Amino acid sequence: GTGLMVEDLSHSYGARKALSNVSFSVERGCFCALLGPNGAGKSTLFSLLTGLFTSKSGDIHVAGFDLAKKPRSALAALGVVFQQPTLDMHLSVHQNMRYYAALQGLSGKHATRRIGEALEQLEMADRAGEKVRALNGGHRRRMEIARAMLHEPAILLLDEPTVGLDTSTRQAITAHVHKLARSEGLTVLWATHLVDEVEDEDQLVILHKGTIRADGTAATLRGARN
Ligand code: ADP
Ligand code: ADP
């Protein structure tokens, strides 16, 4: 089955075309890296996938739901980690998680269970009482990923989640998300401009100047290049 499907998607900012007839799909349970240099259109695609922008042309299906026709179901299937951290610095990790659980309609024992599970999966349980501002960059990112998992999404979208982190922290975050994806059977779309970050993903989609340049496994794309 298809986790994520994008068909003939275009977007312009005034006269500037940011995406032109973009089509690709990610099978359920697959880890897809969306690779492209700055300006390729990755963030624009994320804005469309998360409903921040409405597409005037093209279709987006999330976990089988048409985003234009069934936005609530489609968005409920998504966990999102934006490029810029959106954290409440003065709250503790646990308070952050509680608040976002409540926004997702989770309360009481169910919320407590999900917060515990999500923090455990990101190995953040021992940080629950710490203020976010006291955490380092890697732990903040892990908390954001745990937070995106609270409502048990089928699909996790991450827009350059390792920007600003050092190499070993980046590798740790990548490993955490891979482990999470495997254990939960998640469909993942991971946007990055860092080629070395996307070695062993199931699928590589290369975006350049708003169009898809390549789509396949890392092995097939390497074969095509050599
Ligand atoms: P990426 O995330 O891959 O760096 P973006 O989606 O941010 O790419 O940008 C794609 C193109 O759209 C670029 O040419 C960029 O300059 C342009 N763009 C992005 N946001 C805006 C905006 N708000 N107004 C005008 N042009 C924009
Ligand atoms: P503060 O920032 O004021 O010290 P905390 O965020 O540590 O507050 O705790 C807020 C509430 O959440 C408290 O009732 C605390 O017992 C509870 N809490 C903190 N961490 C956890 C956790 N890991 N699991 C369940 N409850 C927690």
Side-chain angles (χ1 to χ4, degrees):
T2 308
L4 192 66
M5 193 188 77
V6 171
E7 218 167 59
D8 211 19
L9 198 63
S10 298
H11 189 83
S12 299
Y13 297 98
R16 184 194 286 267
K17 255 193 170 255
L19 290 178
S20 305
N21 310 101
V22 165
S23 299
F24 70 97
S25 58
V26 183
E27 287 298 297
R28 197 183 304 167
C30 278
F31 198 119
C32 177
L34 177 70
L35 187 66
N38 289 325
K42 302 183 296 299
S43 291
T44 303
L45 179 60
F46 266 73
S47 295
L48 290 161
L49 290 174
T50 54
L52 293 177
F53 297 163
T54 309
S55 56
K56 291 184 192 69
S57 70
D59 283 311
I60 296 170
H61 288 249
V62 177
F65 299 107
D66 184 328
L67 181 60
K69 294 187 182 128
K70 299 251 179 228
R72 278 158 66 97
S73 304
L75 293 176
L78 287 181
V80 184
V81 178
F82 288 105
Q83 191 176 118
Q84 295 297 326
T86 55
L87 293 165
D88 304 291
M89 293 291 172
H90 59 291
L91 299 183
S92 71
V93 169
H94 187 263
Q95 289 169 333
N96 254 281
M97 297 291 282
R98 269 263 162 228
Y99 178 63
Y100 280 83
L103 291 183
Q104 294 291 353
L106 307 178
S107 60
K109 283 191 180 131
H110 187 208
T112 304
R113 181 174 62 77
R114 281 302 304 146
I115 292 167
E117 286 169 354
L119 289 179
E120 198 65 52
Q121 283 173 319
L122 275 298
E123 288 172 40
M124 285 291 290
D126 57 336
R127 308 272 168 178
E130 287 182 32
K131 301 276 193 223
V132 172
R133 73 166 115 77
L135 301 177
N136 66 30
H139 285 120
R140 288 180 190 180
R141 273 283 140 171
R142 275 152 65 176
M143 199 212 81
E144 279 195 293
I145 296 165
R147 200 178 67 185
M149 290 300 297
L150 280 171
H151 62 299
E152 300 180 80
I155 300 166
L156 187 60
L157 303 181
L158 306 108
D159 188 3
E160 307 232 21
T162 63
V163 159
L165 301 176
D166 61 51
T167 308
S168 67
T169 309
R170 273 171 41 204
Q171 285 166 349
I173 297 282
T174 312
H176 272 294
V177 175
H178 269 104
K179 188 167 65 104
L180 182 67
R182 269 196 306 275
S183 72
E184 298 298 297
L186 275 179
T187 307
V188 178
L189 185 68
W190 172 296
T192 182
H193 67 276
L194 300 166
V195 183
D196 64 344
E197 210 168 79
V198 294
E199 286 296 323
D200 41 48
E201 327 307 10
D202 303 316
Q203 183 184 3
L204 212 54
V205 171
I206 299 177
L207 196 62
H208 188 73
K209 293 187 178 164
T211 64
I212 303 282
R213 285 298 163 89
D215 181 356
T217 64
T220 53
L221 296 191
R222 255 195 304 275
R225 205 172 52 206
N226 293 338

